[in-house]
Amino acid sequence: MTVGALDRMRTAGRVGRIQALLWRRPWMRAALLLGPGLTWFVVIYLASLVLLLITAFWQINPFTTAIERVWNIDNFRTLVTDGTYRLIILRTIGLATAVTITDAVLAFPFAYYMARVASRRVQTALFAAVLLPLWASYLARVYAWILILNHDGVLNWSLLLVHLPPASLGYTNWAMWIVFSYIWLPFMIIPTYAALERIPPSYLEAAADLGARQGRSTWDIVLPLALPGIVAGSIFTFSLTLGDYVTPLLVGGAGSSFIGNVVYGNVGIAHNIPFAAALAVVPVAVMALYLLGARRLGAFEAM
Amino acid sequence: MRPAALRLAGVSKRYGRVLAVDDVSLAIAEGEFFTLLGPSGSGKTSLLRLIAGFERPDAGQIELGGKDVTAVPPYARATNTVFQDYALFPHMTVAANVEYGLKVRHLPRDERRRRVAEGLTMVRLAGLGYRRPNQLSGGQRQRVALARAIVNQPEVLLLDEPLGALDLKLRVEMQAELKRIQRELGITFIYVTHDQDEALTMSDRVAVLNGGRIEQLGSPVDLYEHPANEFVAGFIGVSNLIERDGRRLVVRPERIRLLRLEETPEPGSHLEDGVVQDVTYAGMVTRYAVQLDRGGRLLVVQQNTESAARASDFRGRRVRLAWRPEQAFNISAAQSEGPEQQANA
């Protein structure tokens, strides 16, 4: 008996018939593969997003705090006209931007060294160094920073040791900037590294051959080709900062509230769910715009 | 003799335990089309990278136009390279790729524009400057890589198997194109290839490399007609080697006449009788593998001047091979005491 005949026998029977059917009808295979994940995504994620959007156009009874299904745009009007909320929105977006830029600046040389200079062994060690902090709990790492930045923390203790005046960074926007930049840095390093590693060494040799020194070829060749990776990383750093409310709560000061904190306050304390929903739409809209921009820079080919 | 555009003196390069280039010395004249020919791992690409400056030699000296450039980085050398994978910058247009070297060297804008246009015209790509490299065919990319190098007017142009990725028809076309461009520009070309046909048809002189050493350096005619050793004889052309009376003889397959036993050979010919083992029809020619009665096997190539119908009835027949004595040459055994391991070329 030939091998081909054996194979045909093996695919006969019920399993074989199903396989043949899937082969003849590609859409069935797609449905089987994507079905579970897609259902979860549509029901849980998209449905709640739609509910969020609908709720944002309702209001509450100021006396009973019961939700009244009366269509209006008062919640959005408050967001735009009330200076406090405008400030909070701008602070959130501004800090997310600052953290993203900081991480990009810190990550590029590090990723460059990992991808193009380091030996295999050093590369593995650096990878571990980048990923290891992610094993520790987010809260543990934020608390570690509190211990460093506190008035009588490690930072001031060290400054005192070298006879410098103490810095009062604890519970300020600066503290938030430092902590966020630290926590999200791995999410910037990894995609930047991936983009840098894909650049063939011959491109840099060609640039050198055409007269470009290291700095020039880094600027002209490496940076543009790594840009999609950097933008991909920035999606993480920007969106993660934008939606965070734990770090502002723990290391931020009195004037450090994020959108997330106000949403939390409105859900848990004020029971104004429609207003919380309206506020929660803001980061979703900002992220949508951000992703559109990122797509134009080719970030999705780099992921 | 024209002045030397490039001179190598005792150049060696080691990668780990592998000696990729082993004490190579040579001088290449200005305007010469010089080819480094060898199998993969013979050190030809390593040698080219040393000349371009991508690698520093462990020993020896490299001179370009009379100046010692051994310690000069690639960006300061008057050489330009056409890379095997072309290494075109994918985020730049064709024109920007070609312009890059001129821009880095701060040439005025008008001059840059003019030279880019000239360069693209020379490689027959005028009007395609706005495209991206990924919108071009393999042959077109190869031309862009060439234009990007020549617009800088290098003293020496280095070409690393530039036609390796092209199909045969395109390759033959580009060979002629490269020759034309070299003639028009008068630039010294140093050309790396493992293709003996390419080396023979294009070059003024060829250095045959093996195990990091030069086995023979000479004109294509020298190499083909008077190979210095068995390696060169085998690498350039077909290794048609027999041993007679303790001497090793090489006869090129097209110099042998294939006769029926009853035909009378030219007087004074060397004769060998044998049996045709295999006949291969190849269009223009037919190849016969003949097992000789006195030992050894020779390949004979005959032009298909008449209809090839009679070719196949030669299989298994007894034939007589004849060649004029001056067509066979003695050869020394190959000096194959090179490094045991060979670097990748």
Side-chain angles (χ1 to χ4, degrees):
Chain A
M1 198 183 285
T2 64
V3 177
L6 269 173
D7 271 352
R8 277 195 294 278
M9 277 183 66
R10 210 169 286 145
T11 48
R14 192 172 300 163
V15 177
R17 270 199 300 279
I18 293 172
Q19 275 178 350
L21 184 70
L22 290 181
W23 183 79
R24 279 198 306 273
R25 306 245 187 284
W27 64 265
M28 278 182 136
R29 192 167 39 174
L32 266 176
L33 289 172
L34 298 177
L38 216 56
T39 311
W40 179 82
F41 178 76
V42 169
V43 172
I44 311 285
Y45 184 70
L46 285 185
S48 40
L49 210 60
V50 169
L51 278 181
L52 182 81
L53 205 62
I54 293 171
T55 317
F57 291 97
W58 290 342
Q59 62 181 41
I60 57 162
N61 185 317
F63 300 109
T64 62
T65 70
I67 293 174
E68 293 175 342
R69 298 181 179 178
V70 182
W71 297 97
N72 66 87
I73 55 161
D74 285 356
N75 291 327
F76 290 101
R77 195 173 290 142
T78 313
L79 284 184
V80 180
T81 50
D82 191 322
T84 318
Y85 295 120
R86 236 183 11 230
L87 183 68
I88 287 169
I89 291 169
L90 287 180
R91 177 190 298 135
T92 309
I93 295 173
L95 207 68
T97 310
V99 167
T100 298
I101 292 170
T102 309
D103 277 347
V105 170
L106 291 177
F108 185 79
F110 193 94
Y112 186 91
Y113 186 86
M114 269 172 81
R116 309 210 70 94
V117 185
S119 68
R120 272 263 161 246
R121 276 211 352 244
V122 175
Q123 208 175 49
T124 314
L126 289 176
F127 244 114
V130 170
L131 295 177
L132 214 56
L134 299 180
W135 292 15
S137 141
Y138 172 96
L139 278 179
R141 286 182 293 149
V142 174
Y143 274 115
W145 273 104
I146 295 177
L147 292 183
I148 294 170
L149 297 175
N150 249 352
H151 187 68
D152 44 4
V154 178
L155 176 69
N156 281 344
W157 180 72
S158 308
L159 285 175
L160 220 63
L161 219 61
V162 289
H163 303 293
L164 282 170
S168 47
L169 287 175
Y171 307 112
T172 61
N173 287 345
W174 291 105
M176 284 206 295
W177 173 63
I178 292 170
V179 173
F180 272 134
S181 298
Y182 161 77
I183 286 182
W184 306 138
L185 187 59
F187 296 94
M188 182 63 93
I189 289 178
I190 299 301
T192 305
Y193 163 83
L196 284 171
E197 220 208 1
R198 285 201 307 200
I199 302 173
S202 68
Y203 289 1
L204 299 186
E205 283 177 357
D209 188 70
L210 293 166
R213 287 157 192 263
Q214 175 105 47
R216 181 81 199 242
S217 63
T218 303
W219 183 256
D220 287 346
I221 313 297
V222 179
L223 205 57
L225 292 177
L227 191 64
I230 297 171
V231 175
S234 81
I235 293 173
F236 295 124
T237 58
F238 189 78
S239 69
L240 289 170
T241 311
L242 205 62
D244 200 282
Y245 68 99
V246 176
T247 296
L249 199 67
L250 295 180
V251 300
S256 294
S257 282
F258 263 36
I259 295 173
N261 300 99
V262 182
V263 171
Y264 178 75
N266 271 293
V267 172
I269 300 155
H271 285 296
N272 191 345
I273 305 252
F275 185 70
L279 201 54
V281 168
V282 174
V284 174
V286 170
M287 247 358 261
L289 289 176
Y290 195 90
L291 290 175
L292 277 178
R295 195 181 64 177
R296 296 196 58 170
L297 290 168
F300 297 109
E301 282 109 79
M303 286 216 279
Chain B
M1 177 106 181
R2 290 169 290 181
L6 172 81
R7 194 188 300 279
L8 302 182
V11 171
S12 293
K13 176 70 186 176
R14 189 180 277 284
Y15 296 102
R17 285 167 51 214
V18 179
L19 193 57
V21 176
D22 183 6
D23 191 24
V24 167
S25 299
L26 55 83
I28 297 171
E30 227 167 73
E32 193 173 10
F33 196 120
F34 191 91
T35 296
L36 299 168
L37 175 68
S40 56
S42 60
K44 53 192 192 305
T45 293
S46 300
L47 200 54
L48 200 76
R49 292 176 60 80
L50 288 167
I51 298 168
F54 302 139
E55 312 277 355
R56 295 270 306 265
D58 297 322
Q61 214 183 17
I62 300 169
E63 267 179 36
L64 272 170
K67 276 175 296 194
D68 182 1
V69 297
T70 317
V72 174
Y75 56 77
R77 291 195 189 188
T79 57
N80 281 115
T81 308
V82 178
F83 289 82
Q84 189 169 8
D85 63 356
Y86 313 146
L88 299 178
F89 307 132
H91 59 298
M92 298 185 189
T93 62
V94 165
N97 263 284
V98 176
E99 194 187 2
Y100 189 72
L102 308 172
K103 217 168 169 179
V104 168
R105 296 200 162 94
H106 302 295
L107 262 73
R109 196 172 171 181
D110 294 341
E111 170 82 2
R112 286 189 334 236
R113 286 239 175 108
R114 190 178 57 75
R115 286 222 221 160
V116 169
E118 273 176 16
L120 287 177
T121 308
M122 175 148 272
V123 298
R124 303 184 200 278
L125 283 180
L128 292 187
Y130 64 93
R131 288 214 193 160
R132 296 275 171 146
N134 62 6
Q135 297 170 315
L136 300 179
S137 70
Q140 288 173 325
R141 282 181 213 179
Q142 208 285 322
R143 288 155 191 263
V144 176
L146 184 63
R148 184 174 70 174
I150 60 178
V151 291
N152 301 294
Q153 301 170 348
E155 284 172 27
V156 176
L157 184 70
L158 309 170
L159 302 104
D160 185 7
E161 308 218 21
L163 309 181
L166 306 181
D167 62 55
L168 182 65
K169 193 162 178 290
L170 206 55
R171 205 153 67 212
V172 172
E173 219 176 278
M174 279 305 295
Q175 285 173 10
E177 200 89 313
L178 279 174
K179 268 310 267 189
R180 171 182 68 84
I181 289 167
Q182 198 250 346
R183 264 197 311 273
E184 279 176 31
L185 296 174
I187 297 178
T188 311
F189 273 39
I190 301 180
Y191 192 93
V192 162
T193 184
H194 62 263
D195 182 330
Q196 41 134 335
D197 285 335
E198 218 164 87
L200 292 183
T201 50
M202 299 174 78
S203 321
D204 295 319
R205 283 194 305 159
V206 180
V208 182
L209 285 159
N210 184 31
R213 287 170 165 278
I214 296 181
E215 295 275 355
Q216 190 176 1
L217 197 161
S219 69
V221 177
D222 281 343
L223 295 180
Y224 192 74
E225 305 276 339
H226 307 290
N229 55 44
E230 196 179 324
F231 177 82
V232 177
F235 197 73
I236 298 178
V238 179
S239 181
N240 240 1
L241 191 94
I242 50 171
E243 279 196 54
R244 289 291 176 266
D245 317 320
R247 295 187 316 155
R248 297 160 76 81
L249 292 173
V250 168
V251 204
R252 294 299 186 192
E254 73 281 6
R255 308 283 163 86
I256 304 172
R257 303 230 312 139
L258 184 78
L259 306 170
R260 291 155 195 273
L261 290 177
E262 60 272 18
E263 284 180 85
T264 25
E266 240 176 281
S269 291
H270 178 94
L271 300 177
E272 291 272 352
D273 288 356
V275 179
V276 175
Q277 282 188 320
D278 205 4
V279 182
T280 316
Y281 176 71
M284 199 188 290
V285 296
T286 303
R287 286 191 276 268
Y288 302 85
V290 181
Q291 183 68 43
L292 302 177
D293 296 346
R294 292 167 65 195
R297 197 176 131 105
L298 283 178
L299 195 74
V300 182
V301 172
Q302 302 283 288
Q303 288 269 334
N304 290 332
T305 44
E306 292 157 44
S307 164
R310 70 168 222 163
S312 58
D313 23 280
F314 262 95
R315 189 171 286 124
R317 272 233 207 146
R318 290 197 59 77
V319 289
R320 180 163 292 166
L321 303 185
W323 62 83
R324 295 205 303 280
E326 69 267 24
Q327 299 289 14
F329 36 80
N330 286 322
I331 228 164
S332 60
Q335 286 124 22
S336 51
E337 72 225 80
E340 312 78 70
Q341 291 163 299
Q342 295 181 333
N344 268 328

